[in-house]
Amino acid sequence: MSTRLTSTIIDNAKESVQAYINTVAAINSDLDVVLSQLRVSYAGDASDGYMEFYNTRIQPAVTENLIGTGASLTANILSMLDNIKQQLLDTVDPQLGDYNRNPDSGDT
């Protein structure tokens, strides 16, 4: 079975990626609240060490690498979808359609 790629498919995929970003951001925010509350009750080297690990390893993995607006995984997916839509659906497909309608008008 084949599927015809359309702008709607691209838009739906982008909406799904955005929903994923929103979900991860909400879970990450909830985790930050829990950790802040735990820090009130537990203090010491173990707590400080874990918070350093969390702040230098976990947070960047979630924010910068997964859902950030720069070069994160989701930012790259959204960019790829935009490029597919712009280059393939908005540029190549109409050009091929014009050529297929009138093949003798092209440069030879």
Side-chain angles (χ1 to χ4, degrees), residues 39 42-52:
R39 292 274 297 167
Y42 300 101
D45 286 342
S47 175
D48 293 344
Y50 179 77
M51 287 310 297
E52 184 177 331

Side-chain angles (χ1 to χ4, degrees), residues 31-47:
L31 180 59
D32 283 341
V33 170
V34 169
L35 289 175
S36 294
Q37 292 170 346
L38 284 174
R39 292 274 297 167
V40 171
S41 301
Y42 300 101
D45 286 342
S47 175

Side-chain angles (χ1 to χ4, degrees), residues 27-89:
I27 292 169
N28 189 49
S29 179
D30 291 346
L31 180 59
D32 283 341
V33 170
V34 169
L35 289 175
S36 294
Q37 292 170 346
L38 284 174
R39 292 274 297 167
V40 171
S41 301
Y42 300 101
D45 286 342
S47 175
D48 293 344
Y50 179 77
M51 287 310 297
E52 184 177 331
F53 171 78
Y54 176 78
N55 289 329
T56 60
R57 301 287 179 112
I58 296 173
Q59 274 300 90
V62 171
T63 55
E64 296 168 25
N65 298 334
L66 185 60
I67 63 169
T69 57
S72 70
L73 176 64
T74 53
N76 283 318
I77 291 170
L78 290 171
S79 177
M80 178 188 65
L81 291 168
D82 284 337
N83 287 335
I84 289 170
K85 184 177 180 188
Q86 191 276 326
Q87 294 176 10
L88 184 62
L89 297 178

